[in-house]
Amino acid sequence: MTAFNGNTTKTGSAALATPVLSLGRRYWRDRLMLGLLASSTILVLVPLFIVIAYVVVQGIGALNWDFFTQELGSPTRAHTGQPTGLVHTIIGTLVVDSMALIIAVPLGIGAGVMLAEYPDHRLNPLLRLLNDTLNGMPAILKGMLAFALIVKPMGTFSGLAGAVALTFVMLPIIARATESALDIIPWSIREAGLALGLPRWRVILSTIIPAAKVGLVTGILIAFARAAGEAAPLLFTSFGNNYLPSRWTGWLFGPVDTLPQRLYSLAISPYKQWHEMGWAAGIVLLVMVILLFITARVTVRRA
Amino acid sequence: MHNQESTAAGRHAETAPAATDIRMETRKLSVFYGDTAGVNDVSLSMYNKKITALIGPSGCGKTTFLRSLNRMHDLTRGARVTGQALLDGSDIYAPKVDPVTVRRRVGMVFQKPTPFPTMSIYDNVVAGLKLVGIRNRAVLDEVAEKALRGAALWDEVKDRLKAPGGGISGGQQQRLSIARALAVEPEVLLMDEPTSSLDPQSTIRIEELMSELKKQVTIVIVTHNMQQASRISDYTAFFYVGDLVEFNPTAKMFTNPNQKRTEEYITGRFG
Ligand SMILES: Nc1ncnc2c1ncn2[C@@H]1O[C@H](COP(=O)(O)OP(=O)(O)OP(=O)(O)O)[C@@H](O)[C@H]1O
Ligand SMILES: [Mg+2]
């Protein structure tokens, strides 16, 4: 053992060519790097907290019972102190975002599986091109695409059109996350499944996707967070609405209010009360996204 | 090379059992990785309910040959198989054959343990059955216990069948992989150095298992352990750089091989 140790030290230093740092210098270098990393982390986090704190301070005053139970109505309501709120916006956001998720998750995962598991399939170059195009397309154009595909034929703005526009936001993110999550699963696991006489799709469904679950959920979350904050794709798809729809079908087939788009229109309105409600809408959006992240993390860890 | 092959073939005609006892057989089977052959024109018979051992130095194509027997090369990019591999007389590489059906009949244990990481020990063992639609709990329980006992793992895991399959030792994972392959009751079992990561006790248990399985199953095993090959196998095939150098009953191979190179390898003078 001693001979072995002596040997490595000798050949080790010769092979490295550069002289080995003394322990003291190594220690300080380590400290320095750690310090640099810590301060850059703080540098990144501080503005984030400032933004959150600012939003909360500005909007907290408008967060009252009415805010969560009343529809917005006309600006006079806010002026004259009549009850006004964003209940229709909150529900609309939940409806449009969940519809988008319901469409985007299976399609996105399907595309990711296709790209990762069947790289030689002849449709894959086309799929990759579509995905990359969608990924690079500005959000406003995704809105126009949904406008052309859904709003035009239906002849009306609708929650459904908004959901389709948000699907275009989520799809490429989910597909890429799925592809890279599947790529890191060792090939040997697929072979083990195949050797049991299982068809390829069975192996993917029962062994590969569960093994990649954390990566998939993370991808879905990132996609959702991105989409939930987008106003641009919704401006001429779900469009916005100051009122609750009169029938439940209105959520799907009529114009629907959503938080980012409402936040935008409240912010550019000339009314002081509406500005405050805009900040409050920001708080609600933040809380929604954070809650979603926490529940998803917890469920992934449990399973 | 052709000379050697014909000698080997000639010899084996003298000593081999009747042709009807052949369970699997390759005819001029070659496997190419790109342009280089990993296995070259190999014609080899694997007899029904016998153990055939594949021996030879590292990189000589044992794994490559073994994988060609249940079409595992289908999904290896750049790998190409030529020639024939007959299972009960019909070519598994014929155009209309579904590789999934082939693999149901010809099971495989890999060189490295490959438990499904997200499944419990129990679910790992019954994965092959469950995924083809067998759901009867009693049946699954029985198969799981039998397979785990066969793989010499039952006593170690019977109290934690619900624990994750990736959370046991490497040797236990290998025995789990063996149990999983047994559970689907293949007709032919391909084993690639199944005991190389196991301790002597488990190795002996696995060897006993193979002798037991032989009553129903045809086994092809790759091994670097000459004692193991001579202990358990009925036939031995010696590979060298992609060629089948010699194939004979194990007793003959280890006492009086036809080829000088076989003798040198078996006695440890090269390889
Ligand atoms: N996927 C692959 N792509 C390219 N070449 C390969 C591949 N797999 C194996 N080979 C080559 O084919 C030859 C045979 O390899 P194989 O794995 O069959 O050897 P082996 O006899 O099983 O060796 P060992 O005893 O070390 O497991 C080697 O030269 C190897 O480098
Ligand atoms: Mg090998």
Side-chain angles (χ1 to χ4, degrees):
Chain A
M1 209 67 245
T2 26
F4 174 69
N5 276 339
N7 220 356
T8 34
T9 328
K10 233 195 256 163
T11 50
S13 52
L16 278 172
T18 46
V20 174
L21 284 176
S22 74
L23 265 167
R25 276 181 66 191
R26 230 185 238 184
Y27 176 78
W28 286 113
R29 259 199 184 188
D30 194 41
R31 293 302 296 254
L32 184 72
M33 285 313 292
L34 198 66
L36 281 175
L37 287 175
S39 26
S40 32
T41 310
I42 292 171
L43 222 65
V44 173
L45 287 179
V46 163
L48 181 68
F49 279 114
I50 291 178
V51 169
I52 294 179
Y54 194 72
V55 171
V56 170
V57 168
Q58 295 288 320
I60 196 90
L63 281 184
N64 48 35
W65 180 249
D66 281 352
F67 184 90
F68 293 103
T69 52
Q70 299 293 322
E71 56 187 11
L72 184 65
S74 68
T76 33
R77 286 210 201 173
H79 292 312
T80 54
Q82 290 172 60
T84 176
L86 292 183
V87 63
H88 66 300
T89 317
I90 295 171
I91 298 175
T93 309
L94 293 175
V95 170
V96 171
D97 287 3
S98 14
M99 253 199 289
L101 262 187
I102 290 170
I103 308 171
V105 166
L107 285 181
I109 290 183
V113 167
M114 190 73 190
L115 290 172
E117 299 291 323
Y118 300 93
D120 297 326
H121 197 281
R122 66 200 160 80
L123 288 179
N124 261 0
L126 181 67
L127 187 61
R128 196 173 290 280
L129 180 73
L130 273 176
N131 201 46
D132 289 347
T133 311
L134 213 48
N135 197 41
M137 191 187 276
I140 191 93
L141 282 186
K142 297 181 185 179
M144 287 176 70
L145 192 58
F147 179 86
L149 288 175
I150 312 285
V151 178
K152 269 289 197 157
M154 277 176 64
T156 170
F157 297 112
S158 65
L160 183 68
V164 170
L166 291 186
T167 299
F168 293 145
V169 177
M170 295 178 178
L171 261 180
I173 303 175
I174 297 178
R176 288 192 155 195
T178 303
E179 187 189 1
S180 44
L182 296 187
D183 272 344
I184 57 170
I185 305 298
W187 184 250
S188 57
I189 293 183
R190 296 173 177 84
E191 293 198 330
L194 294 171
L196 285 177
L198 303 175
R200 190 74 205 277
W201 63 269
R202 248 293 175 214
V203 175
I204 294 170
L205 220 60
S206 313
T207 68
I208 306 301
I209 288 183
K213 187 181 54 191
V214 175
L216 297 197
V217 173
T218 310
I220 293 169
L221 278 180
I222 292 170
F224 185 85
R226 256 296 288 285
E230 290 277 11
L234 300 172
L235 293 179
F236 29 80
T237 49
S238 57
F239 189 69
N241 194 338
N242 286 19
Y243 301 92
L244 283 163
S246 49
R247 288 194 307 149
W248 70 267
T249 45
W251 293 113
L252 304 183
F253 307 119
V256 171
D257 226 29
T258 52
L259 280 164
Q261 149 266 317
R262 176 52 58 191
L263 199 158
Y264 170 74
S265 52
L266 290 175
I268 60 168
S269 76
Y271 318 111
K272 196 178 150 293
Q273 293 90 339
W274 276 21
H275 294 169
E276 209 183 11
M277 287 177 80
W279 290 108
I283 300 179
V284 175
L285 194 54
L286 264 174
V287 169
M288 267 174 55
V289 171
I290 292 172
L291 274 183
L292 184 88
F293 265 75
I294 293 174
T295 40
R297 285 283 168 217
V298 170
T299 34
V300 168
R301 206 156 292 168
R302 284 251 179 84
Chain B
M1 203 76 287
H2 272 277
N3 262 339
Q4 283 168 6
E5 242 180 41
S6 49
T7 354
R11 281 285 164 175
H12 116 229
E14 285 171 20
T15 45
T20 48
D21 281 339
I22 294 173
R23 196 64 199 261
M24 276 199 96
E25 179 184 8
T26 64
R27 290 188 186 157
K28 291 205 163 293
L29 183 115
S30 301
V31 182
F32 296 92
Y33 296 112
D35 290 332
T36 52
V39 160
N40 213 355
D41 259 356
V42 169
S43 302
L44 178 66
S45 303
M46 285 140 283
Y47 294 100
N48 195 22
K49 300 180 186 176
K50 301 285 181 207
I51 299 178
T52 304
L54 310 181
I55 62 170
S58 183
C60 70
K62 304 180 295 295
T63 299
T64 302
F65 179 76
L66 201 69
R67 288 165 59 90
S68 72
L69 299 178
N70 68 343
R71 293 192 57 169
M72 285 313 280
H73 289 302
D74 283 24
L75 288 137
T76 316
R77 266 190 163 178
R80 194 162 47 87
V81 179
T82 64
Q84 290 182 310
L86 310 181
L87 173 60
D88 291 336
S90 47
D91 186 9
I92 61 170
Y93 287 97
K96 283 207 179 117
V97 176
D98 180 3
V100 170
T101 2
V102 173
R103 295 184 197 120
R104 284 220 182 120
R105 297 176 60 192
V106 185
M108 183 161 209
V109 175
F110 296 85
Q111 206 161 343
K112 289 196 202 113
T114 50
F116 299 134
T118 52
M119 290 187 193
S120 67
I121 293 172
Y122 179 89
D123 285 337
N124 257 283
V125 180
V126 299
L129 296 174
K130 231 176 173 174
L131 301 182
V132 298
I134 299 172
R135 302 258 162 224
N136 186 326
R137 191 74 201 186
V139 173
L140 293 178
D141 283 351
E142 195 189 316
V143 171
E145 178 169 348
K146 192 171 155 222
L148 284 167
R149 280 191 192 282
L153 188 58
W154 175 253
D155 291 332
E156 285 157 71
V157 300
K158 62 171 185 277
D159 300 320
R160 48 176 173 146
L161 290 172
K162 290 281 161 272
I168 51 182
S169 82
Q172 290 172 331
Q173 289 183 14
Q174 181 64 351
R175 281 175 283 155
L176 180 58
S177 307
I178 294 174
R180 189 178 58 193
L182 292 179
V184 291
E185 299 191 335
E187 299 162 36
V188 179
L189 186 59
L190 312 173
M191 307 180 96
D192 197 350
E193 297 182 42
T195 60
S196 58
S197 62
L198 300 185
D199 62 298
Q201 255 99 0
S202 314
T203 300
I204 289 172
R205 297 278 302 271
I206 298 300
E207 289 182 6
E208 287 167 359
L209 166 73
M210 283 187 254
S211 312
E212 178 67 27
L213 278 176
K214 211 165 77 164
K215 289 175 192 155
Q216 287 123 39
V217 184
T218 304
I219 298 176
V220 186
I221 178 178
V222 172
T223 179
H224 278 290
N225 181 334
M226 292 305 116
Q227 278 82 38
Q228 183 170 62
S230 63
R231 263 198 308 268
I232 59 166
S233 72
D234 304 292
Y235 294 89
T236 302
F238 172 57
F239 282 74
Y240 186 69
V241 273
D243 294 316
L244 173 63
V245 174
E246 181 167 351
F247 173 69
N248 260 321
T250 300
K252 166 145 178 63
M253 193 86 150
F254 279 84
T255 52
N256 183 21
N258 291 334
Q259 301 294 322
K260 196 156 170 12
R261 254 187 301 180
T262 315
E263 188 183 343
E264 283 172 353
Y265 180 72
I266 289 172
T267 53
R269 260 174 278 160
F270 91 99

